Amino acid sequence: MSTFAKTEGRAPRSPPGPDPIITVRHLWKLYGARADSFAKSRATPPGDAEISERHLFAAVRDVSFDVHEGETLVVMGLSGSGKSTLLRCVSNLITPSFGEVVVEGCDLMRASRAELVQLRRYKMGMVFQHYALLPHRTVLENVALPLEIRGEPKASREARALEMIDLVSLSDKAASYPAGLSGGQQQRVGIARSLAVDPDIWFLDEPFSALDPLIRRELQDEFIRLQKIVRKTILFVTHDFDEAIRLANRIAIMQNGRIVQIGTPEELVLHPADDYVASFTEHVNLTQVVTVGSVMVADRGAVAGPGAVRSSARLGDVAEQIMGQSMPVCVIDDGGRPVGTISQQTVLKMLLDRAKTG
Amino acid sequence: MRYRGIALLTALALVALAMQRGLAEGHWALTWPQGWQLPFADWLNAVFRFLSEFEFAGSGTGRDLTRLAVPLFEMPTDLLSNLFFEGFTSGFGANKQVLFPPLSWLALTVGVVLSCYRVGGVKLATLGAATAAYLLVFGLWSSAMLTMAQLAVAVPIGLVVGLLMGVWVWRSPRIRPGVLLALDQLQTIPIFAYLVPVVVFFGLGVAPAIIVTVIFALPTMVRTTVVGLEEAARTTGELAVSIGCNKRQALWKVVLPTAQDMLRVGLNQVVMLSFSSVIIASLVGAGGLGYDVLVALRRLAIGRGLEAGFAITLMAITLNSFLQHYSTGRVAGLAALGSRQFLALIGALVLGLTLLSLVLPWLAVFPEQLVLSTGPFFDNVIEWVNLNLYSITDGVKTALLIYLFLPLKHLLTSLPWLVVVLAVTIAGYLVGGVKRGLFLGGLTLLIAASGLWHKAMLTVYLCAVAVSFSALVGIPTGIWAGRSRNVARIVMPIIDTLQTLPAFVYLIPAIMLFGTGDFPSFVAIVAYSISPAIRYAELGIRTVPEHLREAGVQFGCRPFQRLWMIELPAAAPQILLGLNRTIMLGLSMLIVTALIGTDDLGQETVTALAKVDAGRGLAAGFAVAFIAIIADRLVGGLAERKSQPQRAGMTAAGAD
Ligand SMILES: Nc1ncnc2c1ncn2[C@@H]1O[C@H](COP(=O)(O)OP(=O)(O)O)[C@@H](O)[C@H]1O
Ligand SMILES: [Mg+2]
């Protein structure tokens, strides 16, 4: 709780959209014998002592965060830390024990079954770790399934499904069965299926964890490309910190059911809240994460010369350019206005820092 | 722990000996006293009487109500049998008028062959043609059509009811384990035991025959459906909910289609079991091929019995193969025609040929001159056997009877019931802990209390001899087949065939060679029950993980050491499962052999059937089921333990 407040206090870089699409407040999920009836019987979450006394187990404890429009929030943590449980609480595949989940203004804890079904059919898409493709349906039929479920006529749903299959570059496999596809291809089908209903919110639970490293990387690139096209609000679960850094606008790090820190990759890398977070960040190549803006010396009066660098640029991408100059380089914002300077020493320090540790 | 078990059981044996020596004949610890007997049969009869005679609010007794359901089964069957071979008529006797002739044999054959061709290509069409030709040539056409008419009603009922029940059980997680367990136990009650209650409620004829068939096939279908749905639900996970399926959509669009492979297995089982119950169904008036076999059996008409028995198998294989192909939805031949056009073509051909049969008599009835019979051939064979082999078969039979069967029979039937109850309890405890020990001991006690003890021990004796023989021959054969492809290539097709023949058919050669009594029963049981012993052993050895084998080679094991120290322990759970199946099949065959004169629980059910004594039949049926459960829990429990040694160790250490 305290670390959470700390990161909130540091006011992360303004998220991509202004309005939160997903709001989660003080969310709890208890497991154990009669956990559900116990949760129903009371309004506030139990303390640690009572939890252990009743042999319950809190898979998610007191989690709060927002996801803004068009933002990718990646939930990262070791296996068993409660990531999937959190994701399932937010998508309401399981009912949270305590707390509040609001999705697009709809309070999921109070929504009727029918409202939830409508929400799932029109607003949410989900990708599963093990694909969950139906073996006796072709790729086309698998992708068209969610549309079929919401009652769309055959011609229009197949047209839309083909469009999605095309989007994930599997047009030549539309008539194949899942068994004939590689793991990477199967997950592409899973992605196409989850996008078929054109959801606003996209849930992905370790979608690439079952794949080989090379294929995983390929699909991460695919994901980045797709997100540029479809611009969804995304909750993405992974246990791979590198993946989180590549894909996230913000990352929430989970441990034992709590979020220990939430922030941009840069914030986590530069200011890990505790040793647990640091254990993930310490092997990260700083220059791939840190932007010019976060290490520059602020100075609105700096003179913008021809060699100026943008404050949003990653250090690694502009290091060569800066090091080629003899004087500190001017930093400009996206509008081209000067906001500060960055010295060669700063860049060198960042480059060397990680060379020492790893 | 193992030594403690052996020590306990040895001590028990000594106690038994001492009791037999020391206690007077008729002592309560030796034979269960008359006065303590619990009249289970009477109680069951009281329940049936209550149900069948209870007045349901003016709408008649229970029996009246069930009798009302009879036409529901009879009408569709009559319709089909009229269509297939009787023709539609009006009036009786001299006024009888043919409204529409039965479908011509040629019309049906052409229809079947073309359908087979469309669904499964040349291979299936050949099978269909061969089946039809077989039925025609051996003069079994009308019997087969009657059987077909009944199964055409029974199989869909079994499928649909089984599927619905399966879905219901799957959806009720709370009752699921209990129901699955109960289904397994139902399968151990011999079908004979169901016959009498069914007759009480539905009389004799087509309806009870269909109901018995459905009862026989249903548990397997329910079980397969539940297992299939569970598996499908696991693979599809949260998909259905996440895309906003309602309950019906989740079932029909996501879970059932994903379970279709398993459901196809259920289809196969229902077809096979339905066909294998036609002989038993003919005991309550089914007629058809089953009745032909039964009559042949009673008259010892070997040739006729084999002909009709094989016809049942052939039809089962053909229908099953057709349905399996059909259910995949693929078209293998005549693909140019749409399915409507194809149906129209078949309809036109069948109608045309049938109308033609009004003027061409050879189309109406298959020409007599072309009908064959193997009867004379088999008569000759028997004569030859009796003349030339009698001394050998009789010698073997007599020797085995005197030196093995009779002593064992004497030993088992003279064991004090108290000792048997204790022995079963201890064995159950050793295998699965205190709870299982008490449960199995309790079942044994119930058998003793039912007054069926002597018959039960006779059942155990014959089953034990036959199953031991099956195991002694079958397991090594299986192991051999598992290690050698060439052996497997010869052995496996043989046991495949053995397994598809209806149980009754095994009686025929047994009687032929050895007459009646314990010994032919033994032979028939062995023939029927040896397949799983071989099959599972072969499977177990063949699927020993390659890395274990390599480790063995690496250690420098010689082939025999490798078998003994690596392959056998790894295959032990499978081998024990096979043994378990062998016992179950042995028990069910044992009941069938009651027809050739045994003296055990099977005989009791058959006698009960003759006397329409439902309680007596069911009580004996339950006793058989109890024996099956005890064997299953002991042998099956052993298999479980072998496959998870750590956990078993914990249980044995007194966890329960
Ligand atoms: N249905 C359940 N019943 C009981 N415990 C559960 C259940 N689902 C998850 N858990 C427990 O909750 C914890 C978090 O699980 P999960 O959210 O799946 O972790 P992650 O996705 O981070 O690996 C784990 O310790 C797991 O054992
Ligand atoms: Mg997970």
Side-chain angles (χ1 to χ4, degrees):
Chain A
M1 195 61 219
S2 62
T3 49
F4 180 65
K6 206 163 68 195
T7 47
E8 281 291 272
R10 239 192 351 258
R13 191 176 55 164
S14 68
D19 318 313
I21 296 283
I22 303 173
T23 308
V24 175
R25 289 290 174 267
H26 306 297
L27 189 74
W28 285 75
K29 180 65 192 179
L30 298 180
Y31 282 124
R34 284 185 295 280
D36 288 336
S37 58
F38 171 68
K40 263 195 209 112
S41 71
R42 50 186 294 154
T44 53
D48 283 348
E50 193 169 356
I51 290 178
S52 64
E53 186 184 308
R54 287 180 175 271
H55 300 289
L56 295 177
F57 172 76
V60 170
R61 29 174 84 209
D62 199 21
V63 163
S64 305
F65 61 85
D66 291 330
V67 192
H68 296 266
E69 189 172 352
E71 183 187 25
T72 304
L73 178 70
V74 173
V75 179
M76 212 291 306
L78 297 181
S79 118
S81 57
K83 310 177 296 288
S84 300
T85 308
L86 175 60
L87 180 110
R88 279 164 178 68
C89 282
V90 177
S91 60
N92 212 269
L93 289 173
I94 51 181
T95 313
S97 305
F98 306 99
E100 191 183 348
V101 179
V102 180
V103 171
E104 294 213 320
C106 175
D107 182 347
L108 293 194
M109 303 291 276
R110 292 199 182 80
S112 68
R113 276 183 74 96
E115 279 172 313
L116 283 173
V117 165
Q118 286 312 92
L119 209 61
R120 291 199 181 105
R121 287 184 179 181
Y122 292 90
K123 301 275 165 106
M124 297 176 172
M126 183 146 176
V127 182
F128 301 92
Q129 178 174 359
H130 296 291
Y131 329 128
L133 301 181
L134 302 192
H136 299 287
R137 284 179 164 242
T138 61
V139 167
L140 179 68
E141 288 162 347
N142 262 293
V143 175
L145 178 71
L147 301 166
E148 186 177 338
I149 293 300
R150 74 184 193 192
E152 279 186 32
K154 193 169 161 119
S156 80
R157 73 183 183 232
E158 292 199 339
R160 169 78 188 165
L162 279 174
E163 219 176 286
M164 290 301 110
I165 292 170
D166 197 34
L167 191 66
V168 297
S169 329
L170 276 181
S171 302
D172 53 329
K173 298 281 184 194
S176 314
Y177 286 88
L181 303 182
S182 70
Q185 288 172 326
Q186 293 197 28
Q187 193 57 298
R188 281 169 193 268
V189 178
I191 288 173
R193 180 179 62 192
S194 69
L195 291 175
V197 298
D198 194 16
D200 296 340
I201 305 167
W202 202 11
F203 295 103
L204 301 98
D205 187 1
E206 308 223 15
F208 311 140
S209 298
L211 303 173
D212 295 335
L214 276 181
I215 309 291
R216 193 183 308 168
R217 194 136 183 114
E218 180 188 315
L219 277 177
Q220 287 165 359
D221 291 335
E222 178 85 7
F223 174 84
I224 293 168
R225 181 180 73 83
L226 281 175
Q227 169 64 351
K228 286 205 180 104
I229 304 172
V230 297
R231 304 228 41 98
K232 306 292 180 196
T233 303
I234 298 171
L235 196 58
F236 188 112
V237 164
T238 179
H239 64 253
D240 175 354
F241 193 64
D242 290 325
E243 182 167 275
I245 284 185
R246 293 197 74 205
L247 308 181
N249 294 115
R250 283 189 303 149
I251 299 176
I253 306 248
M254 281 191 87
Q255 182 186 21
N256 299 334
R258 294 182 204 278
I259 292 187
V260 291
Q261 188 172 9
I262 185 166
T264 62
E266 200 174 357
E267 284 165 349
L268 298 189
V269 170
L270 292 177
H271 314 287
D274 59 14
D275 290 349
Y276 179 69
V277 180
S279 70
F280 295 114
T281 60
E282 65 190 7
H283 300 291
V284 172
N285 181 351
L286 278 183
T287 57
Q288 297 301 328
V289 180
V290 174
T291 56
V292 172
S294 63
V295 290
M296 69 181 184
V297 178
D299 175 7
R300 297 221 166 259
V303 184
V309 292
R310 283 171 184 266
S311 72
S312 59
R314 300 255 155 110
L315 215 50
D317 298 337
V318 293
E320 218 170 315
Q321 185 187 340
I322 298 172
M323 296 305 289
Q325 308 279 325
S326 53
M327 299 288 287
V329 172
C330 176
V331 180
I332 55 176
D333 66 9
D334 288 347
R337 285 178 299 274
V339 287
T341 59
I342 180 164
S343 67
Q344 282 70 30
Q345 280 91 329
T346 315
V347 176
L348 211 54
K349 187 166 165 285
M350 284 290 151
L351 284 173
L352 290 178
D353 192 36
R354 278 305 130 96
K356 267 185 298 176
T357 51
Chain B
M1 203 254 0
R2 176 184 297 178
Y3 299 108
R4 198 176 44 167
I6 292 174
L8 269 172
L9 292 176
T10 317
L12 213 53
L14 292 176
V15 171
L17 206 65
M19 279 166 74
Q20 274 164 345
R21 289 281 153 84
L23 298 176
E25 188 130 335
H27 187 275
W28 65 264
L30 293 180
T31 33
W32 186 274
Q34 285 273 326
W36 298 5
Q37 261 180 33
L38 302 177
F40 289 117
D42 295 344
W43 294 344
L44 285 166
N45 272 329
V47 172
F48 283 122
R49 207 169 308 121
F50 175 78
L51 283 178
S52 61
E53 286 169 12
F54 183 77
E55 292 276 346
F56 285 94
S59 48
T61 63
R63 195 197 312 245
D64 294 340
L65 288 180
T66 50
R67 296 274 158 118
L68 280 181
V70 165
L72 290 182
F73 297 98
E74 272 179 356
M75 266 159 42
T77 314
D78 285 349
L79 197 74
L80 286 172
S81 50
N82 286 345
L83 190 65
F84 286 162
F85 74 103
E86 281 175 331
F88 294 89
T89 53
S90 76
F92 291 97
N95 298 330
K96 195 159 152 180
Q97 267 188 323
V98 176
L99 301 176
F100 189 80
L103 299 181
S104 153
W105 57 268
L106 189 61
L108 272 171
T109 305
V110 168
V112 164
V113 172
L114 281 181
S115 307
C116 284
Y117 180 63
R118 181 176 174 84
V119 166
V122 176
K123 240 174 154 181
L124 188 58
T126 314
L127 184 61
T131 308
Y134 179 93
L135 297 176
L136 288 165
V137 166
F138 285 109
L140 295 163
W141 187 257
S142 39
S143 292
M145 288 305 111
L146 180 56
T147 297
M148 223 27 235
Q150 289 170 11
L151 290 180
V153 177
V155 168
I157 294 180
L159 280 178
V160 172
V161 176
L163 185 74
L164 293 180
M165 281 175 65
V167 168
W168 176 69
V169 172
W170 171 69
R171 276 202 174 149
S172 333
R174 207 167 309 159
I175 61 165
R176 199 188 301 162
V179 172
L180 288 184
L181 199 69
L183 287 176
D184 287 350
Q185 304 320 338
L186 276 185
Q187 280 172 312
T188 60
I189 299 182
I191 188 169
F192 274 114
Y194 295 121
L195 288 180
V196 199
V198 170
V199 169
V200 168
F201 285 102
F202 296 93
L204 289 171
V206 169
I210 290 177
I211 290 170
V212 163
T213 307
V214 171
I215 291 180
F216 192 54
L218 207 55
T220 314
M221 183 64 194
V222 178
R223 180 164 242 300
T224 333
T225 306
V226 175
V227 172
L229 290 178
E230 274 175 347
E231 201 179 281
R234 225 174 301 125
T235 47
T236 61
E238 291 157 322
L239 173 69
V241 188
S242 84
I243 58 176
C245 288
N246 56 34
K247 244 179 150 179
R248 195 167 36 87
Q249 287 173 323
L251 180 66
W252 289 101
K253 295 265 183 197
V254 177
V255 182
L256 270 182
T258 307
Q260 62 180 267
D261 289 346
M262 205 62 189
L263 296 180
R264 221 168 270 136
V265 173
L267 172 70
N268 159 284
Q269 293 289 309
V270 169
V271 171
M272 287 310 193
L273 287 174
S274 299
F275 271 95
S276 70
S277 66
V278 297
I279 300 174
I280 290 176
S282 70
L283 286 172
V284 294
L289 288 174
Y291 188 66
D292 289 356
V293 175
L294 203 65
V295 170
L297 206 60
R298 291 199 174 130
R299 289 204 204 121
L300 291 187
I302 306 300
R304 190 64 181 164
L306 283 182
E307 282 166 22
F310 191 63
I312 295 173
T313 304
L314 205 54
M315 283 169 72
I317 292 173
T318 309
L319 183 68
N320 177 50
S321 179
F322 177 83
L323 289 176
Q324 295 292 327
H325 279 94
Y326 180 75
S327 65
T328 61
R330 276 190 282 268
V331 174
L334 302 172
L337 296 176
S339 49
R340 286 228 186 116
Q341 287 163 309
F342 178 74
L343 279 181
L345 171 74
I346 295 275
L349 272 174
V350 168
L351 196 67
L353 283 169
T354 302
L355 288 179
L356 214 56
S357 75
L358 288 174
V359 282
L360 296 176
W362 63 269
L363 272 181
V365 180
F366 188 71
E368 195 86 28
Q369 311 85 284
L370 298 179
V371 173
L372 295 177
S373 168
T374 56
F377 168 74
F378 278 101
D379 289 345
N380 287 339
V381 170
I382 294 180
E383 201 167 316
W384 185 85
V385 166
N386 281 341
L387 278 179
N388 297 289
L389 293 184
Y390 181 78
S391 55
I392 301 174
T393 56
D394 197 56
V396 171
K397 175 177 156 182
T398 316
L400 279 174
L401 275 178
I402 292 178
Y403 295 109
L404 182 67
F405 285 56
L406 293 181
L408 201 71
K409 189 176 190 172
H410 178 73
L411 174 74
L412 278 173
T413 49
S414 66
L415 273 183
W417 65 266
L418 192 59
V419 168
V420 178
V421 170
L422 285 178
V424 171
T425 312
I426 291 173
Y429 162 72
L430 292 175
V431 165
V434 173
K435 241 195 206 160
R436 185 173 300 191
L438 289 179
F439 173 61
L440 298 184
L443 289 185
T444 320
L445 198 63
L446 279 178
I447 297 177
S450 68
L452 291 167
W453 186 257
H454 185 71
K455 293 199 158 84
M457 289 318 274
L458 285 177
T459 306
V460 172
Y461 132 77
L462 196 50
C463 191
V465 181
V467 167
S468 310
F469 186 84
S470 288
L472 283 179
V473 176
I475 293 176
T477 311
I479 292 173
W480 194 22
R483 303 185 100 209
S484 151
R485 289 217 163 272
N486 288 331
V487 176
R489 221 168 287 147
I490 300 169
V491 171
M492 295 328 254
I494 295 179
I495 63 170
D496 280 340
T497 320
L498 279 182
Q499 260 189 327
T500 47
L501 283 176
F504 283 82
V505 173
Y506 289 96
L507 293 180
I508 297 170
I511 305 174
M512 189 170 120
L513 289 171
F514 301 108
T516 58
D518 283 3
F519 195 75
S521 300
F522 163 81
V523 172
I525 297 170
V526 168
Y528 187 65
S529 68
I530 200 168
S531 312
I534 299 177
R535 186 183 302 279
Y536 281 74
E538 191 262 353
L539 185 74
I541 293 290
R542 187 159 45 82
T543 55
V544 168
E546 201 48 43
H547 64 261
L548 281 186
R549 252 192 215 126
E550 277 171 6
V553 176
Q554 157 69 25
F555 297 154
C557 286
R558 267 164 294 147
F560 179 75
Q561 282 178 316
R562 203 180 68 198
L563 174 66
W564 190 248
M565 299 174 64
I566 293 175
E567 296 181 346
L568 274 185
Q574 288 285 354
I575 294 178
L576 282 171
L577 279 181
L579 183 62
N580 201 6
R581 285 295 304 155
T582 292
I583 297 176
M584 296 304 132
L585 287 187
L587 269 174
S588 62
M589 186 67 202
L590 181 64
I591 305 306
V592 170
T593 61
L595 291 180
I596 55 174
T598 49
D599 218 2
D600 50 26
L601 290 170
Q603 194 57 48
E604 184 79 2
T605 56
V606 173
T607 315
L609 184 65
K611 297 191 175 159
V612 198
D613 186 342
R616 190 169 164 194
L618 261 191
F622 276 121
V624 176
F626 287 178
I627 295 175
I629 293 172
I630 293 168
D632 177 64
R633 288 304 129 83
L634 290 181
V635 180
L638 224 49
E640 271 165 43
R641 274 186 41 170
K642 289 266 183 218
S643 55
Q644 29 180 259
Q646 299 87 352
R647 233 204 53 190
M650 271 165 51
T651 341
D656 51 357

